[in-house]
Amino acid sequence: MHRILAFFALTEIKTKITSLLVFLLTMAYFLMRGWPVKPLANALFFAAMISLDLAVSALNHYMDSKVDGSRLPLSRPLALALILGLLILSAALGLALLVLTDPLILIPGGLAFLVGIAYSAGPLPLSRTALGELLSGLFYGFLIPALLFYINLAPESFIAWQRQGVHMSLTLHLPNLLALFLFSIAPVTATSAIMLANNICDLEADRLTGRRTLPHWLGIKRSLWLFALLAYLPLASLILMVLLGQLSPLALLALILLLPATFWVKSFWSRQDKRDTFQIGRAHF
């Protein structure tokens, strides 16, 4: 049990709610639209996604401990072995998914893999720059739905491609491509808001360890204004999708979330604290 709890701590298991929610929301959107769902392909994608997410969090924890001298919940050799094992597992599951789909999925899948590693490792980890919020939002909030759209929808209903010699042509289904972009607004902005709130809370500690995240460059006041905008954009996108016929008017019932969102924004605006106002926000989102 101790080893399991240590593994959960190393991989920050509680933060996986972000990728899980994006996956579930996308599946719910498919069911609402009456679109087809491929169980085996989705199961492989989910397992590959979670494995990579766990590996990236563990790698981030591992690299941070080298900079700030903090202790890991597991020995360094064991932690490194687990990180490599999770990366290999994610890659193997991705290759299995490739067999069920087509080679084009290698492009976004490989990009997610490379950015995931570059987020924590390398001479200048992306998590230590002003790009952290943007990349987290895009790769959790956009890439996960985009891959699920590609996996489940027929080529003529999303993206179809043909190769003729050294040439390749793409045919895009514009209505469903627009649906993807509209749907992704909510998870992209919500994920970015959570990351921004986290970095606002950690600003002083990050500066001491050489991190220069977005709040460092914007300052607290501008960061809080951006946080408030990001927190409300998911609800604005919901209204837009209903107006454009992408969602049933019944979806407007979700606007009840305006109340907890407003409470979180006001609480966080008055006090930026991980043990108090940040936890409220994570519960709401």
Side-chain angles (χ1 to χ4, degrees):
M1 179 60 71
H2 173 72
R3 286 290 180 90
I4 294 175
L5 293 177
F7 173 77
F8 288 165
L10 177 70
T11 57
E12 298 179 351
I13 192 73
K14 290 187 291 186
T15 65
K16 303 313 134 202
I17 189 67
T18 304
S19 51
L20 175 62
L21 279 177
V22 175
F23 179 88
L24 292 177
L25 283 172
T26 309
M27 290 292 95
Y29 181 69
F30 269 61
L31 293 175
M32 186 179 296
R33 296 290 302 267
W35 287 351
V37 172
K38 300 176 181 177
L40 178 57
N42 287 322
L44 284 173
F45 173 77
F46 179 80
M49 174 191 75
I50 290 296
S51 298
L52 180 59
D53 199 357
L54 291 170
V56 170
S57 293
L59 181 59
N60 193 48
H61 202 169
Y62 183 89
M63 298 305 294
D64 281 350
S65 70
K66 294 180 68 174
V67 176
D68 57 25
S70 60
R71 293 188 60 183
L72 293 173
L74 295 169
S75 67
R76 298 191 70 81
L78 180 56
L80 185 58
L82 286 171
I83 292 168
L84 292 175
L86 286 168
L87 289 174
I88 292 171
L89 176 61
S90 180
L93 290 167
L95 290 176
L97 183 60
L98 172 66
V99 174
L100 295 180
T101 54
D102 58 64
L104 193 63
I105 203 170
L106 280 174
I107 298 174
L111 182 63
F113 205 86
L114 292 175
V115 172
I117 295 174
Y119 186 81
S120 304
L124 183 61
L126 296 173
S127 63
R128 294 178 169 270
T129 71
L131 296 174
E133 289 83 358
L134 174 63
L135 290 173
S136 296
L138 288 176
F139 279 84
Y140 281 103
F142 179 75
L143 192 62
I144 291 175
L147 284 167
L148 287 171
F149 270 59
Y150 188 76
I151 290 168
N152 288 283
L153 292 180
E156 61 272 14
S157 298
F158 190 50
I159 297 176
W161 66 283
Q162 276 189 325
R163 180 185 172 191
Q164 295 179 336
V166 295
H167 300 282
M168 186 177 76
S169 61
L170 288 177
T171 302
L172 306 178
H173 188 281
L174 294 181
N176 287 345
L177 198 61
L178 175 62
L180 168 63
F181 281 102
L182 291 174
F183 172 80
S184 297
I185 292 173
V188 166
T189 53
T191 302
S192 296
I194 293 171
M195 288 298 300
L196 181 60
N198 179 68
N199 285 336
I200 291 173
C201 292
D202 289 342
L203 179 58
E204 295 306 320
D206 285 346
R207 283 172 172 169
L208 292 175
T209 58
R211 282 181 184 265
R212 297 295 182 261
T213 57
L214 190 58
H216 169 81
W217 301 106
L218 292 181
I220 292 294
K221 183 63 72 174
R222 289 191 184 93
S223 296
L224 287 173
W225 278 111
L226 178 58
F227 161 75
L229 174 65
L230 292 172
Y232 286 121
L233 275 176
L235 299 176
S237 70
L238 174 67
I239 297 173
L240 180 61
M241 291 187 74
V242 171
L243 291 176
L244 293 177
Q246 296 288 340
L247 286 176
S248 164
L250 289 175
L252 292 175
L253 292 174
L255 290 177
I256 195 174
L257 292 174
L258 182 63
L259 296 176
T262 300
F263 176 70
W264 182 33
V265 170
K266 288 183 176 179
S267 299
F268 193 73
W269 194 280
S270 62
R271 183 183 178 190
Q272 300 84 52
D273 182 79
K274 271 195 171 183
R275 290 178 297 182
D276 188 4
T277 51
F278 182 66
Q279 292 299 329
I280 294 172
R282 287 176 63 177
H284 287 164
F285 278 89

